[in-house]
Amino acid sequence: MAATLRDVAQMAEVSIKTVSNVINDHPHVRPETRARVQSAIDALGYRPNLTARSLRSGRTGAIALAVPEVSLSYFAELADAVITAAEKAGLVTLVEQTGGDRQRELALLTSPRLQMTDGLIFSPLGMDNDDRAHLEVDYPLVLLGERVFGARCDHVTMRNTEAAKAATEYLIASGRRRIAVVGHHEGEEIGSAGLRMKGYLQALEEAGIPFDRRLVGTTGLWHRWNGAMVMRELLASGATFDAVFAFNDNLALGAMRVLQEAGLRVPQDVAVIGFDNLEETAYTIPSLTTVDPGREWIASTAVETLVKRIAEGAGAPEPELTLAQFRIVERESAPRR
Amino acid sequence: MAATLRDVAQMAEVSIKTVSNVINDHPHVRPETRARVQSAIDALGYRPNLTARSLRSGRTGAIALAVPEVSLSYFAELADAVITAAEKAGLVTLVEQTGGDRQRELALLTSPRLQMTDGLIFSPLGMDNDDRAHLEVDYPLVLLGERVFGARCDHVTMRNTEAAKAATEYLIASGRRRIAVVGHHEGEEIGSAGLRMKGYLQALEEAGIPFDRRLVGTTGLWHRWNGAMVMRELLASGATFDAVFAFNDNLALGAMRVLQEAGLRVPQDVAVIGFDNLEETAYTIPSLTTVDPGREWIASTAVETLVKRIAEGAGAPEPELTLAQFRIVERESAPRR
DNA sequence: CTGAAAGCGCTAACAT
DNA sequence: ATGTTAGCGCTTTCAG
């Protein structure tokens, strides 16, 4: 059996309170007493029981991170960043997977499993804007992503439309005029696809380039394979284009591979720009020009925001929407000029 | 303030114990009483306090998973599998990152943060065999990976040498004779590189193919970029080969890309086989033949083993070494014939 | 500066 | 079938 405060107190011949004072670095302990207590702690190999501490203090020292799947590159890198940021704040991270399934997402929000944590960082995929009432929960919650806007909780996300517009403008500035997109979701207004499409359209319009529906590649999923498939369709359709804006890096990599397979040179014949700045995009051949949506910043800001909410308890200020800075990472697949 | 057992008991006009019985599905509760309690629970929105339950029961319902980095594909997919398996067992998973750093790995083993969990699934990278005494801890621990063998704790891992031998034999059976390897670690005997190299050498020897040192590509890190670099060196060296066995999929993908860039056809001119069976290898072009080392099985077995240990407490049977079945996944980069 | 004692919310042994 | 009660190990008033 592990040693308890009581054991230490007994051994050091002081009260339990004094031991507690020593452990929590409270002042008002005579150096001499402190030393005696400390040696008892060492002798017994005492380690405070965090569960008991949690019960008493109402804090667990853990946060939950809920994502669709950690094995998807974007979420893997997000999880890495969140875990690292949480650790710096002295918190451990408990990872939940929802599979991007609306039912599981809603269930998670009221799961007793969350009781083990002080708060939740939540990246839904299956929920939509009509579900936003479900996000009014009685524990600290920070929302990520672009499935839901206007919920009464803190929300940290990226500037999808602006970033997509900038990506498109970047291609235009480098002299491209016929820019295909890959990853469109028909009829979607919010959500990554909808918002990025909007940015693309804005950029075209401002540049006076007519929108050509034949250059739109539609695909629900955004895995590498989908990018390849969509690009095959575009090529087969006979459409001509000199650049591709893929709505994420997986799509871009799949599309790029098919372009090369078809004998088209990237970037000479077709420039390719992605979105996400996954680590591996620096090492592909050619390396991928992409939008860094500020993933690291989002992760650390989400943790900071959550930590603040946890500290505040109730009676806190209004929830905020915070947007990350993005930047275009220029690499080989789409040089600036 | 959240409702407690007491509040529910008061509202339902029963004792606290009866409420507890209802919640824990104990028998000996009259249906009528049960219904009354249940409606009080619903009315108050009562949710059991897991922290209190933990303190009382000595179980937290959480396990820890420690990996180098969740953003590395292999560990991302491992984490996905572990989290999923743990969830099936009613456990949540707390993810810790060590960065593959020996000091952090050792520190983690004695971290108070583990107090929040019932046990640990640990995949070290920086530790070596001499550190195995550190794995004798007083909580349930399941070791993964191939950095440490013979420690006094359960160990679930893959058949590295056998699988590597089988991969090499597969290439030989398909008619290849000059098989390059990518990912060698000079002088390593255990660890993924050492064990896989051993399997490669065994296969060559049994087939009567002389070992050619010029076909060995050495690289400490196993990212895609390293595979590309090593392959460039091999090609530049003038060495000739008709197949490549890469010690993991990242290396294989990097190498394959460089081969194609150099105008060599995969698999016609050079066959490529990897190791890991990452999800994305099914979707590369060409798709990658690779060794599935049994990652899913390892994850679920690790969780099962840990659950068993947790249930047993002390006075338990000897720790076991369990090895996953592997299989060769035949895809385009190295057809069977 | 230190000690005594009251709980945090729950479970389980023991009573009825 | 249901009620009473003693802690799990800690923090934290409140006294001394």
Side-chain angles (χ1 to χ4, degrees):
Chain A
M1 203 51 209
T4 76
L5 260 194
R6 205 195 229 69
D7 301 329
V8 176
Q10 205 161 3
M11 182 163 191
E13 296 178 302
V14 294
S15 88
I16 201 174
K17 166 68 167 139
T18 305
V19 181
S20 176
N21 281 342
V22 171
I23 288 162
N24 299 304
D25 271 338
H26 277 227
H28 309 315
V29 182
R30 226 181 321 170
E32 178 198 315
T33 318
R34 181 181 295 276
R36 194 146 40 91
V37 170
Q38 190 57 53
S39 60
I41 289 176
D42 297 340
L44 292 169
Y46 169 77
R47 307 235 312 268
N49 179 319
L50 296 189
T51 306
R53 188 175 280 179
S54 293
L55 176 58
R56 189 61 239 234
S57 65
R59 292 277 189 77
T60 64
I63 62 172
L65 170 69
V67 295
E69 286 183 49
V70 281
S71 54
L72 298 177
S73 299
Y74 180 81
F75 294 110
E77 297 189 9
L78 179 69
D80 184 336
V82 166
I83 292 169
T84 303
E87 185 173 356
K88 280 192 188 124
L91 298 165
V92 296
T93 305
L94 197 149
V95 179
E96 297 272 3
Q97 303 194 108
T98 61
D101 176 70
R102 177 171 172 275
Q103 289 303 333
R104 288 177 65 192
E105 287 172 352
L106 295 179
L108 178 78
L109 287 169
T110 59
S111 162
R113 300 156 68 97
L114 291 179
Q115 290 245 355
M116 283 186 229
T117 66
D118 297 333
L120 171 66
I121 296 177
F122 186 42
S123 181
L125 199 59
M127 287 173 62
D128 66 29
N129 227 17
D130 299 335
D131 294 316
R132 65 178 178 279
H134 291 277
L135 295 170
E136 289 187 34
V137 293
D138 59 356
Y139 51 83
L141 169 66
V142 173
L143 176 67
L144 303 183
E146 38 279 330
R147 295 298 308 172
V148 183
F149 284 91
R152 287 195 47 78
C153 65
D154 294 299
H155 188 178
V156 182
T157 186
M158 52 185 76
R159 299 180 187 273
N160 280 283
T161 303
E162 283 175 72
K165 185 175 171 212
T168 311
E169 286 169 347
Y170 174 96
L171 292 172
I172 295 170
S174 74
R176 313 286 169 156
R177 280 296 173 276
R178 297 201 39 87
I179 303 172
V181 292
V182 174
H184 179 57
H185 288 175
E186 199 58 43
E188 184 179 293
E189 305 227 332
I190 65 175
S192 312
L195 297 171
R196 292 176 197 175
M197 190 67 187
K198 190 172 159 197
Y200 165 79
L201 293 172
Q202 283 178 2
L204 289 189
E205 185 170 358
E206 289 187 14
I209 299 176
F211 168 60
D212 185 345
R213 167 162 297 281
R214 290 167 302 178
L215 297 183
V216 174
T218 300
T219 172
L221 290 176
W222 283 4
H223 299 177
R224 186 175 304 217
W225 184 83
N226 303 283
M229 195 192 56
V230 165
M231 185 47 67
R232 283 205 194 89
E233 291 169 2
L234 281 173
L235 291 174
S237 77
T240 59
F241 45 89
D242 54 15
V244 173
F245 170 29
F247 286 173
N248 83 357
D249 286 347
N250 283 329
L251 292 171
L253 295 176
M256 192 159 75
R257 195 64 196 78
V258 168
L259 286 168
Q260 294 173 308
E261 208 184 17
L264 291 161
R265 293 167 305 161
V266 176
Q268 294 88 336
D269 300 324
V270 179
V272 176
I273 191 165
F275 200 112
D276 276 351
N277 194 25
L278 298 182
E279 280 172 33
E280 70 167 292
T281 57
Y283 306 113
T284 55
I285 302 170
S287 57
L288 186 70
T289 297
T290 184
V291 176
D292 181 337
R295 185 178 51 250
E296 298 274 337
W297 186 91
I298 288 173
S300 58
T301 303
V303 171
E304 270 171 36
T305 306
L306 192 61
V307 165
K308 244 183 258 165
R309 286 290 170 192
I310 292 169
E312 283 161 350
E318 282 295 293
E320 279 180 15
L321 173 63
T322 322
L323 297 170
Q325 289 297 339
F326 64 89
R327 71 196 168 91
I328 308 268
V329 182
E330 182 189 352
R331 298 210 190 92
E332 293 161 358
S333 71
R336 190 165 292 279
R337 199 128 305 277
Chain B
M1 203 50 210
T4 76
L5 262 194
R6 207 195 228 70
D7 300 330
V8 177
Q10 205 159 6
M11 181 162 193
E13 296 180 299
V14 295
S15 87
I16 198 174
K17 168 67 164 131
T18 304
V19 181
S20 176
N21 282 343
V22 170
I23 287 162
N24 300 304
D25 270 339
H26 277 229
H28 308 313
V29 182
R30 225 182 322 169
E32 177 199 317
T33 318
R34 181 181 296 275
R36 194 146 40 92
V37 170
Q38 190 57 54
S39 62
I41 288 176
D42 296 341
L44 292 169
Y46 168 78
R47 305 234 313 265
N49 179 319
L50 296 189
T51 306
R53 188 176 280 179
S54 295
L55 176 58
R56 190 59 242 240
S57 66
R59 292 277 190 76
T60 64
I63 63 173
L65 169 70
V67 294
E69 284 182 51
V70 281
S71 55
L72 298 177
S73 300
Y74 179 81
F75 294 110
E77 297 190 7
L78 179 69
D80 183 335
V82 167
I83 292 169
T84 302
E87 184 172 359
K88 282 193 188 123
L91 298 165
V92 296
T93 305
L94 197 150
V95 179
E96 297 272 3
Q97 302 194 110
T98 60
D101 177 70
R102 177 171 172 277
Q103 289 303 334
R104 287 176 65 191
E105 287 172 352
L106 296 179
L108 177 77
L109 287 169
T110 58
S111 162
R113 298 157 67 97
L114 291 179
Q115 290 242 354
M116 281 185 234
T117 67
D118 296 333
L120 171 66
I121 296 177
F122 185 42
S123 182
L125 200 60
M127 288 173 62
D128 65 29
N129 227 18
D130 299 334
D131 293 316
R132 65 177 176 279
H134 291 278
L135 295 171
E136 290 187 33
V137 293
D138 60 357
Y139 52 83
L141 169 66
V142 173
L143 176 66
L144 302 183
E146 37 278 330
R147 296 298 308 171
V148 182
F149 284 91
R152 286 195 49 76
C153 64
D154 293 299
H155 188 176
V156 182
T157 185
M158 52 185 74
R159 300 178 187 273
N160 281 283
T161 303
E162 284 175 71
K165 186 175 170 214
T168 311
E169 286 169 348
Y170 174 98
L171 293 172
I172 294 171
S174 74
R176 313 287 169 158
R177 282 294 173 277
R178 301 210 25 95
I179 303 171
V181 292
V182 174
H184 180 57
H185 288 175
E186 199 60 45
E188 184 179 294
E189 305 227 331
I190 66 174
S192 311
L195 297 171
R196 292 175 196 175
M197 189 67 187
K198 190 170 156 198
Y200 165 78
L201 293 172
Q202 283 178 3
L204 289 189
E205 184 169 357
E206 289 187 14
I209 299 176
F211 169 58
D212 186 344
R213 168 162 297 281
R214 290 167 302 179
L215 297 183
V216 175
T218 300
T219 173
L221 289 176
W222 283 5
H223 298 177
R224 186 175 304 217
W225 184 83
N226 303 283
M229 195 192 58
V230 165
M231 185 47 66
R232 283 206 194 89
E233 290 169 4
L234 281 173
L235 291 174
S237 76
T240 59
F241 46 89
D242 53 15
V244 174
F245 172 29
F247 286 173
N248 84 355
D249 286 346
N250 283 329
L251 292 171
L253 295 176
M256 192 159 77
R257 194 64 195 81
V258 168
L259 285 168
Q260 296 174 307
E261 208 184 16
L264 292 161
R265 292 167 306 160
V266 177
Q268 295 88 337
D269 300 323
V270 180
V272 177
I273 192 166
F275 201 114
D276 276 351
N277 194 25
L278 298 182
E279 279 172 33
E280 71 166 292
T281 58
Y283 305 113
T284 55
I285 302 171
S287 57
L288 186 69
T289 296
T290 184
V291 177
D292 181 337
R295 183 179 54 249
E296 297 275 337
W297 187 91
I298 289 173
S300 58
T301 303
V303 170
E304 271 171 36
T305 307
L306 192 61
V307 166
K308 246 183 257 165
R309 286 289 170 196
I310 292 168
E312 282 159 353
E318 283 294 292
E320 279 179 15
L321 173 63
T322 321
L323 297 170
Q325 290 297 339
F326 64 89
R327 70 194 169 92
I328 308 268
V329 181
E330 182 189 352
R331 297 209 190 93
E332 294 161 358
S333 71
R336 189 165 292 282
R337 198 125 307 273

